[in-house]
Amino acid sequence: MLSLLDRERSVAPADYNRWFIPPSALAVHLSIGQVYAFSVFRNPLVERFETSLTAIGVIFSIAIVMLGLSAAFGGKWVERNGPRKAMFFSGIFWSAGFLVGALGVATGQLWLLYLGYGVLGGLGLGIGYISPVSTLIKWFPDRPGMATGIAIMGFGGGALIASPLTSALLENLGETPADAIAPTFLVLGAGYFAVMMMGAFTVRVPPEGWTPQGMRAPRPQPDGAPAADGVTVETAFTTRQFWLVWTVLFCNVTAGIGILEQAAPMVQEFFGDVGPAEAAGYVGFLSLCNMLGRLVWSSASDALGRKRTYLGYLGLGGLLYLLIAVAGTSSVVLFVALTGVILSFYGGGFSTAPAYLKDLFGTRNVGAIHGRLLTAWSLAGIAGPMIINVIADIQLAAGREGPALYELSLQVMVGVMAVGLLANTLVRPLPASALHKDGTKEEVVHDRD
Amino acid sequence: MTGTETKIRSKIAAVVLWGIVLVALGYGVVRTAVDAAALFVS
């Protein structure tokens, strides 16, 4: 039965329409993107377990840590076994996380939620996130930015679907939202399992040596020649290029996630007449910008080149942070527009990264290398909110209020973006010697199944 | 099952999946946009 999942069984015929591949990737990313809507469960879970927000917040934190770890260490397995097996196990882990979590809720055992949604679900998240990346790049070698943009847009879009859906289920499946958590987990687990299995069994890998019609040779990027075949993840991990791109992603995410996490209180502090309801609408608007940025900017990077695109995210993004710090209070519309563009750059930074890695390290092991790169996301997820929160607490203790709580944070973020900009400027194509170092080419060939 | 049948089945599955993901994404985008717009208008 498991042989059905082997890479050899998922090779497409040469005339297969490559536009049949993105929905498989989207099915997985839209499902695992639910994690961004976990906050909908927070208050009902606090009520159900009669515990603190912190104890419930640990569930999400475990899931994100497991995402980073499984993406970093599972990447080679994903590359070796192909997208179908990876998506299959991602679906198993993700839905098992909901089932074990439901058992925990039903029996009042919080540790089962840590184990279920946190550990098992987190494994599904990490494997699922990287599973379609290299396959999409291989199907769309002429437009890798657009291809990964479609999939990674799904991760942003997953929360937009899960948030209203979960609210509706919590309202309708029990007398109170706290009573409805377990059945909601069961419904979501079953639904996501079905969708992810559809994705797993429709994904196909291109036959060896396949290129799209009309594409004669790999299009060189404006900012450097692409690595022809691909280096191993170990080789990539030891290069300066990997750590420069890691720094670029870390800085872009640190700045963006800081805004995203504090969006609701920040807009209310900047504008006294904005209430909690308007702030919630504003957070929804930012999520839309985040999602659209993932598709639009990553697609644009195919024409602009990856380095120039990140120059925009970090250079223009830094200027926008500065503008908010000095003129953000002048108009709600200006504030909303500026933060919306920043969040679109934040999303674009995620989806452009795999194509940047493909340009530098080749296609062969890009999924595994991307997995390692995602450790930047995990660390930035801690650093960004911490910068904003610590500075806001210090300002509050100093008796300041309103926009003054955030002005220094915004200036710090300008500095963070400048560091990222510098790192991006230093990125150069991998020298040919690195591609052939210690028989790397041969190793890569052996890495095939 | 012949190769042609397999090909047709996989094409149908892919088209159905396109439909599912687009409807789901549309639901999420429209719900969020409507909520955001309504809140800003109020």
Side-chain angles (χ1 to χ4, degrees):
Chain A
M1 155 68 188
L2 281 180
S3 66
L4 269 177
L5 305 171
D6 288 345
R7 181 192 279 270
E8 295 75 30
R9 303 287 291 269
S10 60
V11 177
D15 61 345
Y16 197 72
N17 185 339
R18 61 179 174 166
W19 285 100
F20 289 157
I21 306 303
S24 311
L26 270 171
V28 172
H29 271 242
L30 285 172
S31 299
I32 60 176
Q34 183 279 341
V35 71
Y36 271 155
F38 183 76
S39 60
V40 180
F41 284 112
R42 278 197 179 173
N43 289 337
L45 282 170
V46 167
E47 191 187 327
R48 174 73 182 84
F49 286 97
E50 294 176 345
T51 186
S52 65
L53 268 174
T54 308
I56 298 304
V58 168
I59 303 166
F60 177 81
S61 301
I62 294 173
I64 295 298
V65 168
M66 290 307 295
L67 183 159
L69 290 175
S70 54
F73 296 106
K76 281 185 77 172
W77 179 86
V78 170
E79 290 295 296
R80 203 164 47 242
N81 288 282
R84 180 168 291 174
K85 196 177 272 184
M87 287 179 179
F88 178 83
F89 281 106
S90 165
I92 295 279
F93 281 127
W94 185 233
S95 48
F98 279 100
L99 300 189
V100 174
L103 185 66
V105 174
T107 58
Q109 303 289 322
L110 186 56
W111 69 272
L112 279 175
L113 268 163
Y114 293 157
L115 174 69
Y117 193 94
V119 176
L120 296 176
L123 281 170
L125 280 173
I127 296 170
Y129 193 94
I130 57 173
S131 59
V133 166
S134 69
T135 303
L136 281 167
I137 288 178
K138 283 167 194 162
W139 276 110
F140 293 87
D142 48 344
R143 281 184 276 178
M146 180 213 67
T148 55
I150 290 173
I152 294 174
M153 172 191 73
F155 197 75
L160 300 187
I161 299 164
S163 188
L165 181 64
T166 304
S167 297
L169 290 171
L170 288 173
E171 286 294 318
N172 292 298
L173 293 183
E175 284 189 15
T176 66
D179 294 334
I181 301 169
T184 300
F185 266 38
L186 291 175
V187 170
L188 290 179
Y192 286 136
F193 179 78
V195 173
M196 290 172 84
M197 288 305 117
M198 283 191 77
F201 286 99
T202 51
V203 74
R204 298 290 195 101
V205 293
E208 198 62 43
W210 179 89
T211 50
Q213 262 187 343
M215 183 179 163
R216 294 181 197 285
R219 202 167 86 187
Q221 286 299 310
D223 35 48
D229 188 4
V231 300
T232 61
V233 64
E234 288 81 9
T235 302
F237 202 56
T238 58
T239 62
R240 199 175 65 143
Q241 282 82 351
F242 176 86
W243 290 105
L244 287 171
V245 176
W246 191 98
T247 306
V248 165
L249 185 67
F250 175 79
C251 292
N252 195 50
V253 177
T254 296
I257 212 166
I259 293 260
L260 196 56
E261 207 250 351
Q262 283 295 315
M266 196 186 280
V267 73
Q268 291 175 84
E269 292 289 351
F270 266 71
F271 305 97
D273 55 342
V274 172
E278 287 85 356
Y282 169 64
V283 173
F285 168 77
L286 290 185
S287 302
L288 269 179
C289 293
N290 176 12
M291 189 195 83
L292 291 174
R294 290 169 189 244
L295 178 64
V296 173
W297 299 128
S298 187
S299 302
S301 77
D302 289 332
L304 291 171
R306 253 53 79 175
K307 197 169 173 176
R308 284 195 198 116
T309 305
Y310 275 98
L311 184 76
Y313 298 155
L314 297 156
L316 191 55
L319 287 177
L320 295 179
Y321 276 100
L322 196 60
L323 207 53
I324 295 172
V326 298
T329 52
S330 61
S331 150
V332 178
V333 174
L334 179 71
F335 181 87
V336 169
L338 292 178
T339 49
V341 176
I342 285 175
L343 260 292
S344 77
F345 287 168
Y346 164 79
F350 277 113
S351 51
T352 314
Y356 208 171
L357 295 175
K358 178 252 179 195
D359 294 347
L360 291 166
F361 303 113
T363 304
R364 180 71 56 197
N365 295 302
V366 70
I369 299 167
H370 182 225
R372 296 272 173 105
L373 190 78
L374 292 179
T375 51
W377 176 14
S378 300
L379 281 184
I382 298 167
M386 192 184 281
I387 290 171
I388 300 259
N389 291 330
V390 167
I391 292 176
D393 285 343
I394 291 170
Q395 303 288 43
L396 209 55
R400 297 191 180 90
E401 57 182 20
L405 294 178
Y406 297 102
E407 277 164 6
L408 181 60
S409 306
L410 291 165
Q411 288 161 16
V412 169
M413 292 311 181
V414 175
V416 170
M417 297 293 260
V419 172
L421 190 64
L422 177 67
N424 186 54
T425 310
L426 295 173
V427 174
R428 299 275 183 276
L430 210 59
S433 57
L435 286 170
H436 300 282
K437 190 174 71 177
D438 301 324
T440 295
K441 278 276 201 178
E442 284 69 31
E443 264 182 61
V444 170
V445 172
H446 290 309
D447 253 2
R448 294 174 194 176
D449 303 326
Chain B
M1 201 184 304
T2 66
T4 312
E5 279 173 341
T6 309
K7 248 177 163 177
I8 291 169
R9 274 178 164 222
S10 63
K11 282 182 182 178
I12 290 171
V15 170
V16 168
L17 197 52
W18 256 128
I20 291 171
V21 297
L22 287 179
V23 167
L25 208 48
Y27 164 77
V29 169
V30 170
R31 276 294 301 264
T32 307
V34 167
D35 288 351
L39 289 164
F40 274 108
V41 167
S42 67

